[in-house]
Amino acid sequence: MAIFLRRALSFRNVLLLRSSAIVGRELFQCNSEAPQRILSHSALEFVKESRRGFAKGRNKSKDDSAADTIEVLPNMGPTIKANTTSQMEAAITALSAELSKLRTGRASPGMLDHIIVETGGVKLPLSQIAVVSVLDSKTLSINPFDPNALQKLETAIVESALGLNPKVDGDRLIAAIPPLTKEHVQAVCKVVTKSCEDGRLSIRRARQKAMDTIKKLYSRYPKDDLKRLEKEVEELTKKFVKTAEDLCKAKEKEISAG
C-alpha cells in the first residue's frame, strides 16, 4: 500500500512540473516585449554625474590638445634685412647721382645727366637725346641722336649752373671744362657736404623703419633673436654710412684737385 502511494505522488509531481513549464513558455511568448528596468533616484543621479564627468573629461582633453599645439612663426630676419639693405642701397645710388652732377676740374660724362632739354615740345634728360663722351680730362663731346636738336642742347647746357660754354663742331658740341675758382670750389664742397648729410639721413630712416618693425615682434618672437637682428641692422647702418662718407670725401678731393 505504501509503495503504491509513493508512485502516485511521484507521477503527480511530474505532471505538475510539465504543466508549469508549458504555462511559463506560453506566458513568455505572449509577452514578447523586453522587461523594463526601473531605476531608483540614486541610480539616476549616478548616471547623470557620470555623463557630466565624461563630458568634462572630453572638453579637458580638447583644451589640452589645443594647449599642446605649437605655433610655428616665420623667420622675419632675412626679410627685414633684405628690405633695409635695398633702401640703404637706394640712398647710396641717389647720393652718387647727386654727386655726379657737380662740376669739378675734370671732365665727367655724368656731369650733364641732370640737364633737361626741351625739344619738340617735350622735356627730356640730356642723356636720352645725346651721347656724352670724354675727349680728354678737360673736354666733353656731346653727340645728339637728332642733329636738329643741336641748338636746343647748346641752349640747355649754357643755361645750366655748370658754367660751361659749348661750341658747335659739325653735328656735335664740344664743351671745355674751365678751371675752378677758389670760390667755386668752396661752394661745390658745401653742396657735397649737404648731399652727404642727406644720404646719411636716408640711411638712418631705413634703419629706423627696420627697428620699428622689430619692436612690433617682441611680443611673439624670442628676445635674443630680435636683439641679434637689431645688432645686424646697426652693422648695416654703419657700413652704408661709411660708404656714403667715402663717396663724399672722394668727390671733395676731386673738386679740390681741380
Side-chain angles (χ1 to χ4, degrees):
M1 187 65 180
I3 295 172
F4 179 75
L5 288 174
R6 281 199 297 269
R7 288 179 178 177
L9 289 173
S10 298
F11 181 74
R12 181 173 174 272
N13 290 337
V14 170
L15 290 177
L16 287 173
L17 287 172
R18 287 181 178 179
S19 299
S20 64
I22 292 170
V23 172
R25 185 165 55 250
E26 290 177 353
L27 289 174
F28 178 77
Q29 290 176 352
C30 291
N31 189 13
S32 60
E33 294 183 358
Q36 297 181 354
R37 287 181 290 181
I38 301 175
L39 299 177
S40 65
H41 177 72
S42 59
L44 288 173
E45 290 297 325
F46 175 77
V47 172
K48 290 181 181 179
E49 291 298 327
S50 300
R51 288 181 177 178
R52 286 175 189 166
F54 176 74
K56 289 181 181 179
R58 186 165 57 184
N59 292 335
K60 185 177 180 181
S61 63
K62 289 182 179 179
D63 295 339
D64 292 341
S65 62
D68 292 339
T69 302
I70 300 175
E71 183 182 3
V72 179
L73 299 174
N75 186 2
M76 296 297 294
T79 301
I80 293 174
K81 286 191 293 184
N83 291 340
T84 305
T85 301
S86 178
Q87 293 171 14
M88 292 182 178
E89 286 176 346
I92 294 296
T93 301
L95 175 61
S96 299
E98 288 298 318
L99 294 178
S100 67
K101 299 176 184 178
L102 302 177
R103 182 169 77 84
T104 65
R106 298 179 63 84
S108 171
M111 66 190 301
L112 304 181
D113 287 349
H114 68 287
I115 297 177
I116 302 298
V117 182
E118 183 175 356
T119 176
V122 180
K123 293 182 178 181
L124 296 171
L126 186 144
S127 59
Q128 293 187 12
I129 61 175
V131 176
V132 181
S133 56
V134 177
L135 296 180
D136 56 51
S137 62
K138 298 291 184 180
T139 311
L140 289 175
S141 173
I142 302 98
N143 296 75
F145 301 125
D146 181 7
N148 295 325
L150 195 63
Q151 186 177 356
K152 296 289 186 179
L153 276 171
E154 181 182 4
T155 302
I157 294 172
V158 170
E159 292 179 352
S160 69
L162 294 175
L164 302 180
N165 189 22
K167 303 296 181 182
V168 177
D169 182 24
D171 291 336
R172 67 176 182 174
L173 294 174
I174 300 296
I177 310 299
L180 296 176
T181 63
K182 183 178 180 180
E183 291 76 13
H184 188 80
V185 169
Q186 292 175 349
V188 175
C189 285
K190 287 182 180 179
V191 175
V192 172
T193 302
K194 177 66 168 57
S195 298
C196 188
E197 184 58 31
D198 291 343
R200 280 194 292 258
L201 287 175
S202 296
I203 293 169
R204 286 168 183 156
R205 279 195 294 269
R207 169 198 170 277
Q208 190 59 49
K209 287 181 181 179
M211 291 300 185
D212 291 342
T213 302
I214 294 171
K215 285 181 181 178
K216 294 177 181 178
L217 302 178
Y218 263 90
S219 61
R220 302 175 61 197
Y221 285 79
K223 290 185 178 180
D224 292 341
D225 294 344
L226 296 178
K227 289 291 184 183
R228 190 181 307 112
L229 183 56
E230 287 178 343
K231 185 178 179 181
E232 291 174 356
V233 171
E234 290 289 357
E235 291 173 354
L236 278 175
T237 305
K238 292 178 181 179
K239 172 187 171 183
F240 280 97
V241 166
K242 186 178 185 304
T243 300
E245 292 174 347
D246 289 344
L247 285 173
C248 293
K249 287 178 181 178
K251 193 66 176 182
E252 288 179 347
K253 185 177 180 181
E254 183 183 353
I255 294 168
S256 301

